[in-house]
């Protein structure tokens, strides 16, 4: 097949794969796509709201969640990508109220718009800040040096803004390769994909998001959602209640992965 045609065919595969499905089991070092490729997961294009007020509002401080053994319990970890956004503080308050830990894969461009929110996430017990690049590009489709800078620069920005050194990296659209994995390894970050997608770039009602997410969840699941969407934030209380009703314990990535190795890829956790 001519090269251009081949590229196009690959893109189609990636897009269709993403739009439909669930998670792609990605092996370390491959460029296999994750779920969300080609979707409007582009945090970065969202306009900034200049108002600083919602970010500055106080969020109650939760008690630190107890460490749990995910080889014995049915664990699930929630992750939120592409923020911080204007409504992230609302989500944070919900998570604190429900005593649910979560990981936020932050985009540098959004951190610059909402630095106080990034700090607040990092300072809230149970919450983890993680790396989702500066401007959310397809890392496997840009020059290696640029891809490396995307990962490294956001690591520095997260550290500078929150005081926390991120230990998890999620490549936008799940697109990664040996080179991006090597950068993550050097920075001490595990490459974290997901096993269940909220598909909140496709559906825009809380009920639908809960409906499509729940059947994808099995013990050890890592759930991908986006805190830039108001419908996602509205779906979270119901999602939490329904997961708990099914006997799931909501845990942090630290608990579900338990000592992950930098540079290795994880789509799900212990079960
Ligand atoms: Ni993303």
């Amino acid at each position: 097949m001519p090269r251009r045609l081949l590229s196009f065919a690959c893109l189609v595969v990636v897009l269709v794969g993403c739009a439909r499905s669930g998670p792609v089991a990605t092996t370390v070092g491959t460029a296999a796509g994750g779920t969300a490729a080609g979707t409007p997961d582009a945090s970065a294009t969202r306009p900034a709201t200049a108002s600083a007020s919602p970010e500055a509002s106080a969020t109650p401080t939760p008690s630190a969640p107890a460490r749990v053994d995910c080889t014995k319990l049915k664990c699930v970890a929630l992750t939120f990508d592409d923020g911080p956004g204007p409504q992230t503080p609302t989500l944070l308050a919900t998570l604190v109220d429900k005593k649910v830990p979560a990981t936020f894969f932050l985009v540098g461009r959004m951190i610059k718009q909402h630095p106080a929110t990034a700090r607040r996430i990092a300072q809230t017990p149970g919450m983890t800040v993680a790396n989702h690049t500066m401007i959310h590009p397809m890392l496997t489709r840009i020059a290696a040096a640029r891809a490396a800078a995307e990962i490294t620069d956001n690591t520095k920005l997260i550290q500078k803004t929150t005081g926390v050194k991120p230990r998890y990296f999620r490549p936008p659209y799940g697109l990664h390769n040996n080179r991006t994995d090597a950068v993550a390894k050097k920075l001490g970050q595990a490459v974290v994909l997901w096993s269940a997608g909220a598909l909140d770039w496709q559906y825009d009602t809380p009920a639908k998001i809960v409906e499509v997410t729940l059947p994808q969840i099995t013990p050890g699941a890592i759930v991908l959602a986006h805190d830039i969407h108001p419908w996602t934030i509205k779906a979270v209380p119901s999602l939490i209640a329904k997961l708990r009703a099914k006997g799931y314990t909501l845990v942090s990535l630290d608990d579900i992965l338990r000592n992950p190795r930098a540079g290795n890829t994880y789509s799900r956790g212990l079960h």
Side-chain angles (χ1 to χ4, degrees):
M1 198 181 296
R3 200 168 180 176
R4 277 175 73 179
L5 203 58
L6 184 62
S7 302
F8 177 73
C10 291
L11 180 62
V12 169
V13 167
V14 170
L15 291 175
V16 171
C18 288
R20 269 194 198 156
S21 85
V24 176
T26 310
T27 49
V28 177
T30 70
T35 320
T39 63
D41 163 40
S43 43
T45 57
R46 301 259 155 171
T49 53
S51 156
S53 53
E55 308 194 355
S57 67
T59 304
T61 305
S63 54
R67 299 284 292 188
V68 296
D69 184 349
C70 290
T71 61
K72 298 198 173 113
L73 294 168
K74 285 166 63 177
C75 288
V76 56
L78 300 184
T79 66
F80 296 94
D81 288 16
D82 297 2
Q87 297 201 38
T88 303
T90 305
L91 171 62
L92 204 50
T94 298
L95 295 169
V96 168
D97 180 55
K98 310 279 183 198
K99 298 187 166 50
V100 172
T103 300
F104 292 78
F105 285 92
L106 307 178
V107 169
R109 190 139 86 182
M110 299 298 276
I111 296 172
K112 288 180 181 173
Q113 292 172 15
H114 306 282
T117 302
R119 264 192 299 282
R120 181 162 294 281
I121 296 167
Q123 289 166 358
T124 302
M127 306 303 159
T128 304
V129 288
N131 183 7
H132 199 42
T133 73
M134 288 299 293
I135 63 166
H136 206 275
M138 291 187 179
L139 293 175
T140 55
R141 290 163 189 272
I142 59 178
R146 233 189 97 205
E150 279 287 324
I151 304 167
T152 305
D153 291 355
N154 198 37
T155 299
K156 289 179 188 159
L157 181 62
I158 290 170
Q159 276 191 260
K160 185 176 144 220
T161 308
T162 70
V164 173
K165 187 172 181 286
R167 290 171 295 109
Y168 302 111
F169 165 64
R170 177 171 284 159
Y173 316 102
L175 294 171
H176 65 118
N177 57 25
N178 288 333
R179 287 190 300 240
T180 59
D181 291 352
V183 176
K185 184 175 183 180
K186 198 170 160 193
L187 294 167
Q189 296 167 18
V191 180
V192 179
L193 302 180
W194 58 93
S195 66
L199 308 187
D200 51 355
W201 40 268
Q202 186 176 354
Y203 301 112
D204 63 1
T205 67
K208 186 71 183 171
I209 287 163
V210 173
E211 183 195 324
V212 301
T213 306
L214 279 179
Q216 300 175 59
I217 293 174
T218 55
I222 296 174
V223 180
L224 163 67
H226 298 86
D227 54 318
I228 52 169
H229 300 313
W231 45 88
T232 303
I233 288 167
K234 289 198 181 97
V236 167
S238 166
L239 185 62
I240 291 168
K242 288 191 155 77
L243 286 169
R244 284 180 166 159
K246 286 168 171 280
Y248 281 98
T249 302
L250 290 114
V251 301
S252 64
L253 277 185
D254 287 346
D255 282 330
I256 213 162
L257 293 177
R258 195 56 71 88
N259 302 320
R261 292 170 68 103
N264 281 16
T265 302
Y266 300 87
S267 296
R268 50 186 308 115
L270 299 171
H271 60 277

